[in-house]
Amino acid sequence: MSNMNSETVDTRLPLKQIWPDALVARYRAAGYWRGETFPAFLRERAVSFSELVAVVAETGRYTYAELDKEAERIGAGLLAQGLKPGDRVIVQFGNVLEFIPVVSGLFYAGLIPVYALPAHRITEVSHFARKAEASAYIAGRRYAGFDYATLARDLVSAVPSIKHVVLAEDNVGQPAEFTPLSALKGDAAALPRNLDPQSVAFLQLSGGSTGLSKLIPRTHDDYIYSFRASNELCGITPNSVYMTALPAAHNFPMSSPGWLGALYAGARVVLSPSAEPGAAFAIIERERVTCVGLVPPLALLWADAAAHTEHDISSLEVMQVGGAKLVPEAAKRLMTELTGLGCTLQQVFGMAEGLVNYTRLGDSDDLILNTQGRPISVDDEIRIVDDNGQPVSEGEAGNLQVQGPYTIRGYHNEEAANANSFTADGYYCTGDIVKRTPEGYLVVQGRANDHINRAGEKISAEEIEDHLLGHPSVFDAAVVSIPDDYLGERSCAFIIARGDKPRAVELKKWMREQGLAAFKVPDQIVFAKAFDTTAVGKVSRRELRAQLRQRFLEQAQSDKALSDKALSDRAQSDIAPLTQTQENN
Ligand code: OOB
């Protein structure tokens, strides 16, 4: 650390994220932006908490000092491979030990992680790699039955900017086709010393409400503020043990307060490879986990399992639920179960683009059960507007727009999308329909655009339709969300066949073979003879989806037997809510 070069590295270009000067001044004066950077805080914790355990996973654990050493080795090793500060690196890991030193190492080197989820396949990863003009791909070797070396090979041939591949090896003894993570080695003196705290630290993925996911540039200053403030609202201290049961690359378990908040506090991060209650409860008991974040279906599954478990999970102090709507009846069931355990329920309504709302730990049951919380910051400026952009009356539902100290001003490399997603004065149009209670808490009513929130995984109807249209037997396709007791929403594709009707299972299999994340494969496929032609047209794709959805629901209601069958057709193993699922080819 002592002999790093003193050049200031400015990674702001080409990754810009610019707040108006007046806001920059305000956020600094208020103490939100403190000029901290990721490497600086991680280095500091390695000194203050050196012998304390920072990360625990299935295969081992690191103290803060060990994490620092490993991050330094990886960061310096990547620079020695020829990567330069500011280069983008796709990172794809499940909840494994290597993930945290790899990400920390990228930060140390001033490299920009682009977070892929373990469920992403070549279609998604090549898209991010192109958009980010990524230079490298780093992945775990094998996870949940999938070999990422295959994906790496496809990626290298599809995206010429990818010049380096590093894989965490698990096939000891075989010749390394790509650089093994363990072989990275370099001179720590080459690590940049000063990063600009206002520069982009990493690219997160959007839920993708229209078409493919977009890249979300988050800066050191803005992101660190979001988890530092979250720590306070979620009661994270050096004594906390935070469990990451959802994929660690997702914004919720990363920063609300997530594993980053936990590391910031000097607490312990526990990476659980599975969100299945049996496995997770054993880890909670062993590590004395105090806080965990879950999506609603998992939270409910845990509540049911908690009633009969043999494991002692009494260490749990806070269970956060977010990513999708927790309806009040379910919240009530959950709260009853958690109260018995002495654990507080916290609702979290957030987005990778920024804004995060929490119910506070001391809030009344009424607020915790019936709202999705209120913003982290008094400087999160919220507007609730009608379709013409005019503010709705207090208490009415409308489109949520926001600007604030940790909400982005634009997606990376997406000029056209930015014009739709941001107002002229820089507010982010979240796409969520909300109303505000007299106490200033938000209640999520739904979405303005056509995406499916499948247990927290966001699926763009448009993206799936585009894929389906690539099948030779698909003449037209419309994908809609259908309410689902367990997932919240599931996806249903209405298809008009061209010639012979393909079998639904074959169509699903074909989609997976196209290299698409399994959670995007429609849960249900319904063949239609024709779509209402008045609803098909340039502007009325949404109308068509709404109409099909409506008709489906009416029919399901009038034919309860059909609906029961539709539900029973869906085995639980087919469900991939923000969890690490097995490949089900
Ligand atoms: C989280 O982030 P994303 O980027 O995967 O998804 C954001 C969207 C929101 O715009 C909203 O539509 C939905 O997910 N959402 C919720 C919700 N939390 C997120 N809808 C209803 N109720 C909730 N509690 O999902 C995310 C990021 C940080 C913290 C928590 C969740």
Side-chain angles (χ1 to χ4, degrees):
M1 197 176 157
S2 50
N3 53 357
M4 286 186 296
N5 74 45
S6 58
E7 232 172 88
T8 293
V9 177
D10 189 345
T11 52
R12 219 174 335 184
L13 292 173
L15 301 193
K16 282 196 208 125
Q17 195 57 204
I18 305 293
W19 278 260
D21 290 344
L23 288 183
V24 172
R26 193 198 314 168
Y27 300 155
R28 284 197 180 135
Y32 306 143
W33 293 359
R34 297 184 181 168
E36 282 178 295
T37 63
F38 283 92
F41 99 71
L42 288 165
R43 297 270 198 191
E44 197 288 325
R45 299 308 178 268
V47 176
S48 304
F49 299 101
S50 59
E51 297 312 313
L52 297 185
V53 173
V55 191
V56 181
E58 211 176 16
T59 58
R61 53 187 66 209
Y62 286 124
T63 63
Y64 276 88
E66 287 164 347
L67 172 62
D68 173 63
K69 238 178 119 204
E70 189 62 357
E72 191 169 270
R73 177 185 73 79
I74 294 170
L78 289 169
L79 295 183
Q81 294 259 314
L83 286 161
K84 302 264 175 306
D87 283 351
R88 271 77 67 201
V89 178
I90 310 274
V91 185
Q92 188 171 32
F93 283 87
N95 291 354
V96 296
L97 187 63
E98 294 82 7
F99 178 63
I100 295 190
V102 163
V103 170
S104 305
L106 292 170
F107 289 146
Y108 279 25
L111 295 162
I112 314 278
V114 183
Y115 297 116
L117 293 172
H120 286 141
R121 295 292 174 261
I122 185 66
T123 301
E124 290 94 6
V125 177
S126 58
H127 170 71
F128 314 143
R130 281 194 201 98
K131 273 279 166 196
E133 296 167 273
S135 309
Y137 173 74
I138 309 188
R141 173 64 205 259
R142 208 173 268 285
Y143 194 71
F146 183 75
D147 184 350
Y148 289 86
T150 319
L151 203 161
R153 261 173 236 126
D154 292 346
L155 184 65
V156 168
S157 59
V159 184
S161 68
I162 299 283
K163 301 278 188 252
H164 308 272
V165 173
V166 177
L167 292 183
E169 290 292 285
D170 67 358
N171 55 345
V172 180
Q174 290 183 23
E177 175 187 358
F178 300 115
T179 307
L181 183 64
S182 58
L184 287 177
K185 214 166 67 191
D187 181 2
L191 292 169
R193 189 187 204 119
N194 300 312
L195 299 182
D196 177 348
Q198 265 196 274
S199 67
V200 170
F202 61 85
L203 294 166
Q204 183 60 274
L205 304 182
S206 81
S209 49
T210 51
L212 291 162
S213 285
K214 296 183 276 292
L215 297 174
I216 298 173
R218 301 292 301 259
T219 66
H220 296 265
D221 257 341
D222 92 71
Y223 210 62
I224 290 175
Y225 166 56
S226 79
F227 56 74
R228 189 179 63 229
S230 295
N231 276 351
E232 240 170 81
L233 302 178
C234 308
I236 301 294
T237 70
N239 297 323
S240 301
V241 180
Y242 177 84
M243 177 190 256
T244 304
L246 302 174
H250 189 274
N251 195 66
F252 177 19
M254 185 179 290
S255 65
S256 305
W259 54 267
L260 275 170
L263 292 180
Y264 190 88
R268 179 178 300 198
V269 176
V270 177
L271 294 167
S272 176
S274 165
E276 185 271 312
F281 287 3
I283 300 174
I284 293 175
E285 178 173 24
R286 194 186 70 215
E287 301 297 332
R288 308 300 298 153
V289 170
T290 61
C291 180
V292 65
L294 298 174
V295 289
L298 281 175
L300 295 168
L301 207 61
W302 281 38
D304 288 346
H308 327 103
T309 184
E310 284 164 14
H311 294 290
D312 174 7
I313 56 170
S314 61
S315 58
L316 265 185
E317 292 166 7
V318 178
M319 181 190 279
Q320 307 179 292
V321 181
K325 172 99 175 197
L326 179 66
V327 292
E329 306 81 72
K332 204 154 182 198
R333 223 174 86 204
L334 196 54
M335 187 185 265
T336 309
E337 199 56 56
L338 293 179
T339 308
L341 284 173
C343 177
T344 305
L345 170 63
Q346 180 174 51
Q347 291 220 36
V348 189
F349 162 40
M351 52 208 73
E353 286 82 354
L355 179 69
V356 184
N357 304 275
Y358 294 101
T359 56
R360 303 323 199 230
L361 299 182
D363 275 346
S364 66
D365 287 1
D366 176 46
L367 284 173
I368 296 176
L369 293 175
N370 297 307
T371 80
Q372 278 65 59
R374 64 181 159 89
I376 289 178
S377 177
V378 291
D379 278 301
D380 284 319
E381 298 174 67
I382 298 280
R383 289 199 300 226
I384 303 176
V385 302
D386 64 20
D387 289 343
N388 300 317
Q390 296 308 307
V392 297
S393 322
E394 204 48 57
E396 294 285 303
N399 301 290
L400 172 65
Q401 300 181 344
V402 61
Q403 78 166 358
Y406 59 96
T407 295
I408 61 163
R409 313 292 298 188
Y411 291 108
H412 173 66
N413 204 0
E414 290 284 356
E415 246 167 70
N418 284 341
N420 290 325
S421 300
F422 295 85
T423 63
D425 58 348
Y427 279 63
Y428 168 56
C429 306
T430 64
D432 292 311
I433 310 286
V434 303
K435 57 185 188 184
R436 188 165 28 198
T437 69
E439 300 90 349
Y441 282 59
L442 300 180
V443 181
V444 180
Q445 307 284 300
R447 291 281 307 175
N449 47 28
D450 288 331
H451 86 194
I452 298 121
N453 188 336
R454 189 181 188 276
E457 295 284 18
K458 319 303 181 308
I459 304 164
S460 150
E462 189 183 306
E463 181 191 345
I464 305 313
E465 289 166 3
D466 286 350
H467 278 293
L468 285 165
L469 289 170
H471 190 283
S473 305
V474 174
F475 174 73
D476 202 354
V479 175
V480 307
S481 70
I482 302 287
D484 185 284
D485 286 346
Y486 178 64
L487 294 166
E489 293 177 7
R490 67 179 189 273
S491 59
C492 177
F494 291 88
I495 287 176
I496 301 175
R498 185 199 302 280
D500 285 346
K501 209 163 72 177
R503 289 180 54 215
V505 302
E506 273 157 18
L507 210 50
K508 291 183 180 190
K509 183 163 171 269
W510 173 83
M511 285 191 85
R512 278 194 290 268
E513 285 165 1
Q514 295 301 296
L516 196 68
F519 66 81
K520 294 184 184 170
V521 175
D523 294 297
Q524 208 168 349
I525 290 180
V526 175
F527 289 97
K529 282 211 167 55
F531 293 150
D532 183 347
T533 44
T534 55
V536 186
K538 261 195 295 203
V539 284
S540 53
R541 196 84 207 156
R542 294 197 58 196
E543 223 170 89
L544 169 67
R545 294 189 192 111
Q547 206 184 73
L548 286 168
R549 183 172 191 274
Q550 188 57 30
R551 219 179 291 154
F552 179 94
L553 295 176
E554 277 164 14
Q555 192 177 338
Q557 217 172 22
S558 69
D559 185 357
K560 182 79 171 49
L562 170 70
S563 148
D564 285 346
K565 175 155 182 349
L567 287 172
S568 66
D569 275 353
R570 177 180 46 74
Q572 263 197 15
S573 59
D574 201 24
I575 287 163
L578 279 183
T579 53
Q580 295 83 50
T581 44
Q582 304 294 318
E583 273 295 283
N584 49 349
N585 284 323

